[in-house]
Amino acid sequence: MSFVNPSTVSFESKERQKLREGQIEYAFIQLKVSMLATGFSALVLLLWGHSPKPLVLGWFVLILLVSFWRYLVAQQYERHPGQHSLLEWEQRFVFGVVAASILLGSASMIFFVPGDYYAQAVLMTVFAGVSAGALNSLSAMLRPMRFLLMMMLLPLAMRLFIRPTTIS
């Protein structure tokens, strides 16, 4: 037999709802800074890129489009947070993280230049910076943060692992 006070349960669910609202609000606030960092990182890779230019330019345009869409969603959330349910806002946020994760993960295939250790160092430095930023900007949303880090770092780690060089 359980002696649960109904008012306590209601209070706990309200507190959980407030916590979730705060997490999503924090994620959207951090998103604007994150978009600038993503754009800068993509620009560094674009300028450094030794890959075929159409592929690099296509990747860069896609990163900018996804970043711009995410920025617009953050603006919409800031101006009209009640326009959508909390679940819908969370889904929009997570969709943007997934799209950015896939694009960032593909960078290790596009920008990894076998034998050019400087290019590899630039790629790893950019990924280290994006990873550090993700730890802060996505700290309120653990699953999207883990997904981003896994999608970005796993392809690079696999790429390094299969290289038969001492440095790799």
Side-chain angles (χ1 to χ4, degrees), residues 89-134:
W89 284 121
E90 185 176 14
Q91 289 172 341
R92 288 169 185 238
F93 183 85
V94 170
F95 176 79
V97 171
V98 168
S101 300
I102 292 168
L103 287 169
L104 287 168
S106 69
S108 65
M109 300 301 156
I110 295 170
F111 295 100
F112 189 93
V113 182
D116 187 344
Y117 299 114
Y118 293 113
Q120 292 173 22
V122 168
L123 181 62
M124 285 185 255
T125 302
V126 167
F127 276 22
V130 171
S131 297

Side-chain angles (χ1 to χ4, degrees), residues 38-104:
T38 301
F40 179 74
S41 299
L43 184 61
V44 167
L45 291 175
L46 173 74
L47 295 175
W48 191 271
H50 296 277
S51 299
K53 291 298 178 195
L55 179 62
V56 171
L57 289 173
W59 177 86
F60 184 70
V61 168
L62 284 174
I63 278 279
L64 291 181
L65 288 173
V66 167
S67 294
F68 184 66
W69 180 82
R70 292 177 74 198
Y71 180 81
L72 291 177
V73 170
Q75 285 289 100
Q76 186 181 21
Y77 176 82
E78 185 179 295
R79 291 183 181 145
H80 309 288
Q83 184 176 8
H84 299 287
S85 72
L86 205 54
L87 178 61
E88 289 172 319
W89 284 121
E90 185 176 14
Q91 289 172 341
R92 288 169 185 238
F93 183 85
V94 170
F95 176 79
V97 171
V98 168
S101 300
I102 292 168
L103 287 169
L104 287 168

Side-chain angles (χ1 to χ4, degrees), residues 11 16 33 82 90 112 119 125 158 163:
F11 176 76
R16 284 188 181 155
V33 174
E90 185 176 14
F112 189 93
T125 302
M158 289 172 39
R163 301 286 311 152

